[in-house]
Amino acid sequence: MEIDLTARGDEFRAFWTERRLASLTTVRADGTPHVVAVGVTVDFEAGVARVITFADSHKARVTRDGTGDGVAAAVCQVDGPRWSTLEGRMILRDDEESVRDAENRYAQRYRQPRPNPKRVVLEIAIKRVLGNA
């Protein structure tokens, strides 16, 4: 199922580009949720949400250990009564081009990230959108 994020309108785009933190939820091996605060960027044309992190973080390890089609993941933002969740399958990318692209996107939304030689990118191929934002 393809999601067309560009058709969701200017308010949706603004909600996901204004500076605010999100939560990232993954599922541990024992089936319990793992929820952490993250900075996330959304590529509306590609239908992808990106999170930069350390290669040895729990979220990176869970993703690296997942199957070929990735692991289930969701990012959620809340602003008062407005909220939005993006769900999909998450994969890890550690190639230089993907990391640089994700860092540039992060810098546009938040600030320039500190140098980190262990940086990786978690990419969520968005399959479902929930919320009222």
Side-chain angles (χ1 to χ4, degrees):
M1 174 176 68
E2 291 294 317
I3 297 288
D4 182 5
L5 297 180
T6 62
R8 297 192 73 87
D10 292 339
E11 287 184 33
F12 178 81
R13 183 179 288 269
F15 188 78
W16 281 101
T17 55
E18 295 165 351
R19 191 179 194 284
R20 68 173 51 85
L21 292 177
S23 63
L24 169 68
T25 303
T26 55
V27 181
R28 294 183 182 101
D30 67 2
T32 60
H34 178 257
V35 184
V36 293
V38 295
V40 61
T41 61
V42 177
D43 182 337
F44 299 92
E45 288 70 30
V48 172
R50 291 181 180 87
V51 173
I52 57 175
T53 190
F54 295 86
D56 54 356
S57 70
H58 178 80
K59 55 191 166 285
R61 289 192 319 269
V62 164
T63 305
R64 185 180 296 110
D65 294 342
T67 63
D69 68 339
V71 298
V75 286
C76 181
Q77 291 187 155
V78 176
D79 182 29
R82 299 183 315 147
W83 66 279
S84 180
T85 299
L86 309 176
E87 297 179 351
R89 304 294 292 181
M90 185 166 70
I91 61 170
L92 184 142
R93 297 198 188 275
D94 58 4
D95 62 281
E96 187 177 322
E97 183 179 338
S98 295
V99 171
R100 185 174 38 254
D101 177 59
E103 288 173 334
N104 290 337
R105 291 172 187 274
Y106 183 92
Q108 288 177 349
R109 185 169 189 195
Y110 299 103
R111 62 175 168 70
Q112 186 64 43
R114 285 178 254 163
N116 177 356
K118 293 184 173 184
R119 180 161 289 131
V120 296
V121 183
L122 306 177
E123 289 188 358
I124 302 170
I126 301 165
K127 301 297 180 194
R128 180 180 298 150
V129 178
L130 306 169
N132 61 9

